[in-house]
Amino acid sequence: MKIRKLASVLLFLVALLPGFAQSKKSPLQISHLTDDFYVYKTFHDYKGQLISANALYLVTNEGVVLFDAPWDVSQFQPLLDSIKAKHNKEVVMHFATHSHEDRAGGLGFYNQKGIKTYTIQLTDAILKKENKKRAKFVIPNDTTFTVGQHNFEVFYPGKGHASDNILVWFDKEKVLYGGCFIKSTEATDLGYLGDSDVKEWAKSIKKVQAKFKNPKYIITGHDDWKDLNSLNHTSKLVQEYNTAKASAKK
Ligand SMILES: [Zn+2]
C-alpha cells in the first residue's frame, strides 16, 4: 500500500510540473523563457517533413505582445486561448518580423481579432506586392515601444535571411529576438535563401553584434535556441557560404 501511495503521489507531482500537459507532440508548445517572456513553438508540414518554428510573446500589464505568428493556421486561435488561460490577458499587439508565412501568416487573422498589427515598410511593400494580408500599422525601421512596464526596440539590421528581416531587442532583460535572421547552432546550412542577401547578411550581423551587447537569451527562428553562440554560428555559416560561392566563380 505504501508503495502504491508513493506512486500516486509521484504521479500527482509529475502532473503538476509545468509543461506536462504539453506532450512533445503538441502542435503548440509554450515555454517560459525568463521574467514575462515566453517562447512558443509550432510546426509546419514542409514537403512531408514537420519543421518547427519559434516565436515569442511578452506579458505586460497592458496586455500581451506577440512577436510572429504560429507557422500553423490551426494554432492562431489556440495561441490566443492558451495565453488567456495562462495569464488571463488579451493579446493587444502583434509584430511580424518579415514577410514570409512563418512570421507574417497571421496578420489577417489577428487584424480580424482587433489586435494592433505591425510591420516595417519593407515588409509591407512585399506583402502588398504579393497580395497578402498586411499589418494595420507600418513602423519606421528602428522604433522603440513602451508597453506597460516593458520597453523594446524593433531594429532593421539590413538584408540577411530576407531583405526585410527585423529583430527585437529587450535591453533591460537582454533578450534578443532574432527570428529567421539568426540560425540555430543546430543548423548546418542557411536554409531557405530565396529572398536572402548572403553578402549583406555578414554586415548586418556585425551591426546587430555592435548594437546589442551581451544578450542573455537569443531566440532563433527555428530549432534549438538555447546555445548563445547562434549569432556567431550564423556569421560562420554566412562566411562559409560566401567563400564557397567566391571559389566556385574562379
Ligand atoms: Zn523567412
Side-chain angles (χ1 to χ4, degrees):
M1 272 309 274
K2 256 190 179 164
I3 285 172
R4 268 181 73 181
K5 197 173 174 191
L6 183 67
S8 66
V9 166
L10 280 176
L11 206 67
F12 175 70
L13 287 174
V14 167
L16 286 180
L17 287 174
F20 182 77
Q22 302 173 4
S23 75
K24 277 271 176 231
K25 289 217 175 87
S26 171
L28 172 66
Q29 297 170 8
I30 299 174
S31 52
H32 183 225
L33 181 68
T34 179
D35 188 51
D36 294 325
F37 295 81
Y38 293 79
V39 175
Y40 73 90
K41 193 184 270 265
T42 54
F43 299 85
H44 190 85
D45 191 325
Y46 184 75
K47 293 174 184 166
Q49 208 193 339
L50 269 193
I51 300 181
S52 68
N54 303 317
L56 181 79
Y57 71 78
L58 171 68
V59 180
T60 82
N61 50 29
E62 284 178 11
V64 172
V65 185
L66 194 60
F67 299 93
D68 292 329
W71 198 18
D72 179 351
V73 178
S74 77
Q75 296 306 310
F76 289 168
Q77 184 63 47
L79 177 62
L80 299 183
D81 297 341
S82 297
I83 288 171
K84 178 78 182 170
K86 220 176 164 88
H87 311 286
N88 196 27
K89 284 184 194 232
E90 308 291 338
V91 172
V92 292
M93 294 167 100
H94 166 58
F95 291 79
T97 61
H98 65 274
S99 77
H100 292 162
E101 206 192 326
D102 57 341
R103 308 292 141 194
L107 288 173
F109 183 87
Y110 295 121
N111 282 341
Q112 264 182 8
K113 290 276 161 185
I115 294 165
K116 290 180 178 170
T117 55
Y118 299 81
T119 65
I120 59 166
Q121 178 70 50
L122 288 167
T123 303
D124 190 60
I126 297 167
L127 293 171
K128 188 180 175 189
K129 203 175 119 202
E130 294 180 349
N131 234 334
K132 289 184 178 148
K133 294 284 189 283
R134 295 154 65 193
K136 274 192 197 140
F137 301 93
V138 174
I139 51 170
N141 285 351
D142 308 311
T143 310
T144 301
F145 286 84
T146 300
V147 185
Q149 73 279 39
H150 285 284
N151 298 308
F152 55 89
E153 183 177 350
V154 171
F155 179 65
Y156 174 67
K159 294 174 183 175
H161 161 77
S163 60
D164 62 324
N165 46 206
I166 54 172
L167 294 88
V168 188
W169 173 245
F170 304 84
D171 190 53
K172 199 173 90 197
E173 300 86 1
K174 305 284 174 213
V175 174
L176 180 61
Y177 179 68
C180 298
F181 181 82
I182 306 179
K183 304 299 293 182
S184 165
T185 51
E186 288 181 339
T188 52
D189 62 43
L190 291 170
Y192 177 69
L193 293 175
D195 298 314
S196 301
D197 188 327
V198 185
K199 263 217 155 115
E200 288 295 313
W201 203 340
K203 288 182 211 161
S204 305
I205 291 170
K206 287 211 174 82
K207 264 189 227 166
V208 170
Q209 286 174 322
K211 201 167 158 67
F212 306 129
K213 300 272 199 228
N214 306 316
K216 280 190 192 154
Y217 304 91
I218 302 177
I219 310 305
T220 59
H222 301 275
D223 305 321
D224 193 74
W225 44 265
K226 291 188 182 78
D227 189 335
L228 278 179
N229 209 31
S230 50
L231 203 46
N232 290 327
H233 179 69
T234 310
S235 182
K236 195 181 132 234
L237 289 175
V238 163
Q239 275 171 24
E240 282 168 5
Y241 180 92
N242 286 329
T243 308
K245 214 175 171 187
S247 64
K249 263 189 192 159
K250 278 174 198 164

